[in-house]
Amino acid sequence: MDVLKEVGNIGAGHAATALSHLLNKPIDMAVPMVQLLPFERIAECVGGAEQLVLAVFLRVEGEAPGNLFFIMSPEAGKNLLQRLAGIEVEEGGMFSEMEQSALCEIGNILAGSYLSSLADFTNLVMTPTVPGLAMDMAGAILSYGLIQFGEMGDDALLINTTFLEGHNEVEGQFFLIPDPDSFTKIFEALGVPLENE
Amino acid sequence: MSDQKTIVHVGMADLNVAGPDGVLRTMGLGSCVGLTLYDPVTKIGGLAHVMLPSSAIAKEGQLNLAKYADTALPILLNKMRDLGASPQRMIAKMAGGAQMFAFAGAGDSMRIGPRNVESCREGLAMLGIPIVAEDTGGNYGRTVELDCTTGKFMIRSVQMGIKEL
């Protein structure tokens, strides 16, 4: 578990630095949580299955495949757009195509930095797919990343790292859900002996 | 008889049944399908939150039968029959099976939503249960509710608001 925490730490640490450079302000990071959770409880990490969230999703391919989500509240998304791109987002309503594309790109940059530091750390090849963006119910979005786990059981392992800004305002969360087979590879790559499956 | 309705929550990869004063609800359906069966005479309803199309792809030791379209359906039907519902009178309504993220050249696992829907349809056809209403596909999440008093099927989504079938 500590090894996986370190995995979350390293990835998110680099992503936090990237975000902090983009925004030109300090971004803090909470200690990553590594949990084996039943599907039901995963959406609770972001406020329940019906909570409206903005998510950038990337499928990780390569030697240790998995699913990576960068999740933020719609407000945090608006904030990001305003500060980074100077785009004033209208109150309420959905994001325009242009705004969505900008958000997707921001997510892509952060996720890319998460992955590349992880790949360096483990020496495993991990390549991100083209990211997708969605704003919808957390349950609907996150269940997408659980399909591979669904074939194995009713729990998924989640590496959850929260970004915090100044006043403990949650800026975003990274969810890494490695495919069930990927754990062995990550452990092996890091030279951690596996006790039992 | 009281007007008090009992809300029965159905979690992901789970199923449940309810009597005439029950409301079955499942939240945040993405590529999953909310499959409901209803007997209008006894007002007994059932809801399954189906996650995967077929148990044939299962790699788990202990199968969670509620998770797969092909195995959830017979269980739901039996559970309702135990409560006194008649399979001959049953009608089906379903929603979900969305494709939450659009990718070019996406693999098979990315098409899980439409595959879930297809599998539910096949299962229902095999049992001879008519699908009287469905709201499937699209790229958005849904929360669904089956009111067993009226048989009404309510679908709520962020983009489309509330819809009743």
Side-chain angles (χ1 to χ4, degrees):
Chain A
M1 282 296 180
D2 281 342
V3 174
L4 294 174
K5 241 180 217 175
E6 194 50 29
V7 164
N9 227 342
I10 288 191
H14 284 254
T17 314
L19 185 61
S20 152
H21 279 307
L22 283 173
L23 292 175
N24 210 2
K25 66 173 187 185
I27 297 287
D28 288 331
M29 201 180 81
V31 178
M33 288 196 312
V34 178
Q35 286 171 298
L36 185 67
L37 286 177
F39 296 154
E40 263 313 285
R41 302 241 346 256
I42 285 180
E44 281 172 26
C45 297
V46 288
E50 281 203 295
Q51 181 69 40
L52 184 65
V53 296
L54 196 60
V56 177
F57 167 78
L58 289 113
R59 172 88 189 134
V60 181
E61 284 168 355
E63 289 176 273
N67 295 307
L68 182 65
F69 291 94
F70 180 62
I71 294 186
M72 54 198 149
S73 67
E75 288 72 41
K78 274 179 203 169
N79 256 328
L80 266 182
L81 277 178
Q82 226 162 58
R83 273 186 250 167
L84 272 180
I87 302 174
E88 286 288 336
V89 183
E90 282 168 42
E91 280 304 309
M94 308 296 277
F95 293 93
S96 73
E97 211 167 297
M98 171 71 191
E99 288 155 5
Q100 287 190 19
S101 151
L103 281 170
C104 198
E105 192 46 39
I106 295 168
N108 193 18
I109 291 171
L110 299 181
S113 99
Y114 186 113
L115 273 186
S116 63
S117 58
L118 202 54
D120 284 348
F121 178 56
T122 56
N123 239 337
L124 292 170
V125 178
M126 295 185 196
T127 42
T129 58
V130 180
L133 180 93
M135 186 163 96
D136 215 311
M137 298 173 186
I141 288 175
L142 287 171
S143 63
Y144 211 76
L146 302 176
I147 289 161
Q148 281 84 5
F149 263 97
E151 295 168 9
M152 300 283 291
D154 295 327
D155 301 295
L157 202 125
L158 178 76
I159 305 175
N160 175 3
T161 320
T162 307
F163 283 3
L164 303 162
E165 191 219 325
H167 323 284
N168 277 347
E169 214 180 307
V170 175
E171 197 72 14
Q173 274 170 293
F174 264 111
F175 280 20
L176 177 65
I177 308 175
D179 285 2
D181 304 334
S182 295
F183 291 110
T184 333
K185 294 208 186 103
I186 293 175
F187 283 131
E188 274 170 12
L190 295 173
V192 182
L194 275 181
E195 287 146 30
N196 45 14
E197 289 281 294
Chain B
M1 285 285 275
S2 77
D3 290 326
Q4 199 62 44
K5 300 213 173 174
T6 325
I7 293 186
V8 182
H9 282 280
V10 177
M12 189 184 287
D14 197 6
L15 58 78
N16 218 329
V17 291
D21 62 346
V23 174
L24 290 155
R25 176 190 287 166
T26 193
M27 297 191 293
L29 289 165
S31 54
C32 302
V33 172
L35 173 65
T36 69
L37 295 180
Y38 183 64
D39 174 354
V41 176
T42 55
K43 298 190 189 298
I44 290 165
L47 168 66
H49 186 137
V50 170
M51 193 177 174
L52 293 165
S54 160
S55 57
I57 55 172
K59 295 173 201 146
E60 55 187 325
Q62 189 126 41
L63 217 57
N64 172 4
L65 299 171
K67 186 156 51 187
Y68 307 94
D70 62 333
T71 49
L73 199 48
I75 296 178
L76 197 61
L77 189 124
N78 282 337
K79 278 195 150 193
M80 287 171 66
R81 193 158 44 192
D82 289 348
L83 286 182
S86 152
Q88 281 79 40
R89 287 193 299 255
M90 279 182 198
I91 52 171
K93 294 182 182 180
M94 63 179 179
Q99 190 156 357
M100 297 302 294
F101 297 92
F103 297 100
D108 218 24
S109 76
M110 299 297 165
R111 276 197 64 246
I112 202 82
R115 278 168 57 208
N116 280 336
V117 174
E118 275 163 41
S119 180
C120 286
R121 278 202 200 114
E122 279 167 25
L124 288 166
M126 226 141 62
L127 293 167
I129 299 173
I131 303 172
V132 294
E134 70 170 84
D135 177 37
T136 53
N139 63 349
Y140 52 91
R142 297 165 172 95
T143 283
V144 301
E145 247 180 51
L146 178 70
D147 185 332
C148 295
T149 317
T150 58
K152 279 192 179 136
F153 189 45
M154 195 197 75
I155 300 150
R156 193 147 36 98
S157 63
V158 176
Q159 294 171 27
M160 307 289 171
I162 295 175
K163 197 163 151 184
E164 217 176 68
L165 295 176

